[in-house]
Amino acid sequence: MQTLMNTTAALLTVLGIFVVLALPALLGLRREARIDRELRAAQEGQNSSSKPTEPSTATWYAEGRRSKKLVSS
């Protein structure tokens, strides 16, 4: 009877450690899936608009600065 209790305690300990180690990864996967859904929904909403959007001047300037940095380094 004592052996069964030791085995059960060891099994529960291993399962507990597994849950503690796997939980962050599972939560990260869930978060990534939510972000992917939000991005898809935003892209579908953007594609459904009839008027194409122009980037703002600030965005255009920042993109130019970024590409120059990449080329010069």
Side-chain angles (χ1 to χ4, degrees):
M1 189 67 167
Q2 186 68 23
T3 312
L4 179 62
M5 291 177 65
N6 285 342
T7 304
T8 305
L11 179 65
L12 289 175
T13 302
V14 169
L15 287 175
I17 291 171
F18 176 75
V19 168
V20 167
L21 292 175
L23 192 60
L26 295 175
L27 292 175
L29 286 173
R30 197 175 98 191
R31 181 174 180 261
E32 291 290 328
R34 179 182 52 86
I35 291 171
D36 287 343
R37 276 195 310 272
E38 289 176 2
L39 287 173
R40 263 195 309 276
Q43 184 143 17
E44 287 172 4
Q46 186 180 23
N47 289 343
S48 67
S49 67
S50 59
K51 182 182 171 190
T53 58
E54 293 287 325
S56 69
T57 303
T59 304
W60 175 81
Y61 179 75
E63 290 289 330
R65 297 277 298 167
R66 243 185 258 128
S67 64
K68 286 179 186 174
K69 270 187 179 178
L70 291 175
V71 171
S72 66
S73 40

